[in-house]
Amino acid sequence: MSWILLFLAGLFEIGWAICLKRSDGFSILWPSVLAVVLMIASIWLLTMSLKELPVGTAYAVWTGIGAIGTALIGMIYLGESRDTLRLICLTMIAAGIVGLKLFSKEA
């Protein structure tokens, strides 16, 4: 269950990062409000996952999901660079997340 909570926390992290972009520096109300709500939800879910998972593993997975997801949404929907080296780096982050999951004693 902790891994599911952690995965959801990572998805909410993607959401708040995209909302921050849309909020234009917290100058647009609804994306700003949604960003704050998603931040709170993401951190709460991370906190719940930490009841069973080691903090180093959980934090790395949480930020990795957020980084990969936000970067992919940026590439697909926001016209950000799809440079080969950037994609390779995202793949390495994904490999690290999978490795942390596979080699965690709390699997």
Side-chain angles (χ1 to χ4, degrees):
M1 185 66 172
S2 293
W3 285 102
I4 293 169
L5 295 175
L6 184 59
F7 179 74
L8 291 172
L11 293 180
F12 282 132
E13 185 180 4
I14 296 166
W16 68 253
I18 298 301
C19 287
L20 280 180
K21 173 73 173 169
R22 296 289 186 208
S23 77
D24 195 29
F26 287 115
S27 65
I28 302 172
L29 178 63
W30 292 114
S32 300
V33 169
L34 188 55
V36 171
V37 168
L38 291 172
M39 285 176 191
I40 292 168
S42 180
I43 292 171
W44 182 78
L45 288 166
L46 172 63
T47 301
M48 294 299 102
S49 76
L50 290 174
K51 289 181 178 182
E52 295 182 17
L53 299 175
V55 68
T57 299
Y59 186 75
V61 170
W62 179 62
T63 58
I65 291 169
I68 292 168
T70 304
L72 290 175
I73 288 174
M75 288 179 212
I76 295 166
Y77 296 108
L78 304 176
E80 295 179 2
S81 169
R82 296 179 186 181
D83 183 73
T84 302
L85 288 177
R86 190 169 190 222
L87 294 171
I88 290 169
C89 290
L90 289 173
T91 301
M92 290 189 310
I93 293 170
I97 291 170
V98 170
L100 287 170
K101 168 67 173 110
L102 290 175
F103 300 111
S104 173
K105 293 181 182 180
E106 291 78 16

